[in-house]
Amino acid sequence: MRAFKHPQIEDVAIADVLHALSDPIRLGIVAQLAQEGEASCSALDGGRPKSSMSHHFRVLRDAGIIMSRPEGVSHLNTLRRDDLNDRFPGLLDAVLGAVR
Amino acid sequence: MRAFKHPQIEDVAIADVLHALSDPIRLGIVAQLAQEGEASCSALDGGRPKSSMSHHFRVLRDAGIIMSRPEGVSHLNTLRRDDLNDRFPGLLDAVLGAVR
DNA sequence: TCTATAGTTCGATAATATTCGAACAACAGT
DNA sequence: ACTGTTGTTCGAATATTATCGAACTATAGA
């Protein structure tokens, strides 16, 4: 898999982060990543079509919420916890607390 | 003005709150209410059309973020700080910190 | 090199949201 | 009652998102 360009966390706007998190499917992805630490796209798809999921991963990536690194034939995704906490202190924890 | 029905805070979903907060205009309303405590719709409209603003106030109200009480000919809006902190601890503060 | 796997990109459709003028409703003051 | 003020609701146009099949790309392994 090819590597992606991720935004600098300073360039991320709060409105974009909130929008990315306002979708139930994406919230589920974030919650699962919070639990499992790192997971491939297929481990997070819940049986949904790949093209739909690819869209959601892109939204999360563009909002600075996740990092996707290529690993063999797949992408391993992680939360950008530290970046998010630097930029928007307490936000991710509050959302994770709410979704749990 | 007629009184509105506001949702019970328990009935509010995190996704709806995040969606309501993901719009720059609504974020501005929330930030201004956080500063000023209570304000009428016209004090918060930034010169935009009333019907557009009325829509945004409704989204915020339906998401449990603001309370609008009739006062004479106008509506006075406040943040539902305590309710939000009960339901989604830390969320409002994190968003306000990010928008400031 | 052939095949299978994982995921992306494209393109079209459907669903939601936003914007805002016009008509309306509630209240205050005269 | 009439008028001005504040804001809501309706309806329609526009814009943004979401969904997902099909074609494609990159990698691993045989």
Side-chain angles (χ1 to χ4, degrees), chain A residues 49-94:
Chain A
K50 292 172 171 212
S51 52
S52 302
M53 295 311 289
S54 199
H55 161 72
H56 290 302
F57 284 114
R58 192 156 88 87
V59 172
L60 288 171
R61 230 169 13 237
D62 290 349
I65 297 170
I66 66 171
M67 235 271 288
S68 305
R69 68 177 183 88
E71 175 71 29
V73 85
S74 52
H75 271 141
L76 290 185
N77 305 283
T78 49
L79 286 180
R80 293 178 64 179
R81 296 192 98 123
D82 293 348
D83 285 343
L84 285 169
N85 264 316
D86 281 1
R87 183 85 171 86
F88 307 118
L91 181 63
L92 184 58
D93 285 343

